[in-house]
Amino acid sequence: MLLVILVLMIGGAIFSLEARDLLSAVVAYGIVGFGLVICFLILQAPDLALVQIVVETITLIIMVAVILNSTRKELGVKWASKTVAYIVGSFVFLILFMYFFEKVTSVLSVFGEHLLRMSEAYIEPGAKDTGSANLVTGVIFDYRGYDTLGEATVLFTAVMGVLTVMRLKGRKEE
Amino acid sequence: MKGMTIIVKKVSEILCGVIFLYGIYIVLHGHLTPGGGFAGGVIIAGAFILLIIANGSEKVSLKRKETGTSFTESGAILAFLAVAASGMVVGTVGLFFKNYLPKGHIGRLLSAGFIPVYNIVVGIEVSAALITVFLAFVIFREEVLK
């Protein structure tokens, strides 16, 4: 099930690179994002899936709005023999990579069944230590508080950067 | 940015309040159910972005430019730092990020000490940040077109 969605996501990503029309490229890019949502749900991470589905929807809306305002011209690019060679090479690499990935990961224990000693120290006393019923929130705001502070700071810096770069006209003197 | 047809306007009018409330629910129940400040903040920002896209930028008052949301965002991250730093003052052993409020019963809405407070602050920060970026794209583009 996970593998099918992963293959679909890779196909969507490749199509969005090769699409002639910008709008269809964006829609194909949406396959990647919403496929990731299903992946998170299968891997039992509802917190991440919630964030991913909202962010993906908003980015898709903004990108479609931007593309509808642009010229959206098709490029008359012909496929050179070099391009074909690159694509064939990528596919061979991809198939080999998937083969060895399967072979290596089949040795490991199943995802989520075996606990590390490190994670046991968080999972067992987690609810008692933090008082939070949702362990994820308990980890990100209590055990890993500095991480969250850093993430919030990164977001703040990103907004400052966008405001600085996007402001084409200077601020008026009042 | 111009608004859309009356159908889109009416539906977004009905929906955006519900989406806003849902975002607040996700933020407040961050320590009980999946979600939290980051997810809830993005949902709240989504409600505002829906309103702006459907009704056009004239409907939402943009007179104060982007400074309103930018100010909220900076204030929220300062509040995050202040709440975290308040742990250094309280008690005999001061620690950054110290959770000195009573924990309460696990599973209640008022429990887990400072975690709901952090959730609310981060929710405000994330929603204000996303709205600021969106308004920057809308406002600065209109400035250029003038």
Side-chain angles (χ1 to χ4, degrees):
Chain A
M1 185 65 191
L2 195 63
L3 215 61
V4 176
I5 294 171
L6 283 178
V7 170
L8 196 70
M9 281 165 65
I10 292 171
I14 292 173
F15 181 79
S16 76
L17 281 177
E18 296 296 327
R20 293 291 173 84
D21 191 5
L22 271 179
L23 192 61
S24 53
V26 165
V27 172
Y29 167 73
I31 294 174
V32 181
F34 286 113
L36 198 60
V37 174
I38 301 173
C39 285
F40 282 144
L41 283 179
I42 290 174
L43 295 176
Q44 302 183 350
D47 295 73
L48 273 175
L50 202 62
V51 178
Q52 175 65 24
I53 197 165
V54 179
V55 168
E56 184 60 37
T57 311
I58 290 179
T59 7
L60 212 60
I61 288 171
I62 292 177
M63 282 219 269
V64 168
V66 167
I67 279 173
L68 288 183
N69 277 331
S70 69
T71 49
R72 213 180 130 190
K73 254 184 195 162
E74 293 179 14
L75 293 170
V77 182
K78 281 179 185 170
W79 280 28
S81 55
K82 235 183 196 175
T83 323
V84 179
Y86 284 148
I87 290 174
V88 171
S90 321
F91 267 107
V92 170
F93 170 74
L94 209 68
I95 290 165
L96 276 178
F97 183 78
M98 288 299 264
Y99 173 71
F100 283 111
F101 185 77
E102 273 296 303
K103 210 168 186 182
V104 168
T105 49
S106 62
V107 183
L108 299 174
S109 61
V110 183
F111 183 77
E113 277 192 358
H114 178 73
L115 285 183
L116 296 172
R117 222 174 346 141
M118 185 72 192
S119 42
E120 267 173 11
Y122 288 123
I123 291 169
E124 306 254 311
K128 199 161 63 66
D129 274 0
T130 62
S132 155
N134 181 8
L135 185 65
V136 176
T137 310
V139 169
I140 64 172
F141 284 113
D142 199 300
Y143 293 119
R144 293 277 178 270
Y146 285 101
D147 245 359
T148 314
L149 182 61
E151 277 168 29
T153 316
V154 165
L155 193 64
F156 176 74
T157 320
V159 171
M160 289 301 113
V162 167
L163 285 184
T164 314
V165 172
M166 290 290 294
R167 194 195 304 277
L168 296 177
K169 278 161 71 177
R171 201 190 282 267
K172 275 177 196 158
E173 295 286 330
E174 286 176 22
Chain B
M1 187 186 278
K2 275 183 186 170
M4 295 188 181
T5 59
I6 188 145
I7 303 171
V8 182
K9 278 182 187 173
K10 216 60 194 166
V11 171
S12 74
E13 238 171 58
I14 297 166
L15 273 183
C16 84
V18 181
I19 297 173
F20 186 76
L21 268 183
Y22 180 64
I24 291 177
Y25 162 81
I26 292 277
V27 170
L28 287 185
H29 286 69
H31 56 299
L32 305 176
T33 52
F38 286 99
V42 178
I43 294 173
I44 292 174
F48 279 100
I49 289 174
L50 178 71
L51 201 66
I52 296 169
I53 285 183
N55 287 295
S57 49
E58 293 86 19
K59 170 106 177 181
V60 184
S61 168
L62 296 180
K63 279 175 190 164
R64 288 173 64 199
K65 309 271 162 157
E66 85 287 350
T67 47
T69 50
S70 185
F71 182 76
T72 314
E73 191 217 352
S74 318
I77 200 159
L78 272 181
F80 191 167
L81 267 177
V83 172
S86 74
M88 295 172 81
V89 190
V90 179
T92 47
V93 185
L95 277 175
F96 202 59
F97 274 110
K98 190 181 176 191
N99 199 344
Y100 58 84
L101 281 187
K103 298 279 160 57
H105 289 282
I106 295 170
R108 292 267 179 85
L109 186 59
L110 282 176
S111 68
F114 264 128
I115 290 180
V117 180
Y118 287 135
N119 262 329
I120 292 169
V121 172
V122 167
I124 294 172
E125 209 266 336
V126 170
S127 57
L130 281 182
I131 297 170
T132 310
V133 170
F134 184 74
L135 286 185
F137 279 106
V138 174
I139 293 171
F140 293 152
R141 186 167 174 273
E142 277 172 4
E143 268 183 9
V144 170
L145 287 183
K146 269 179 201 168

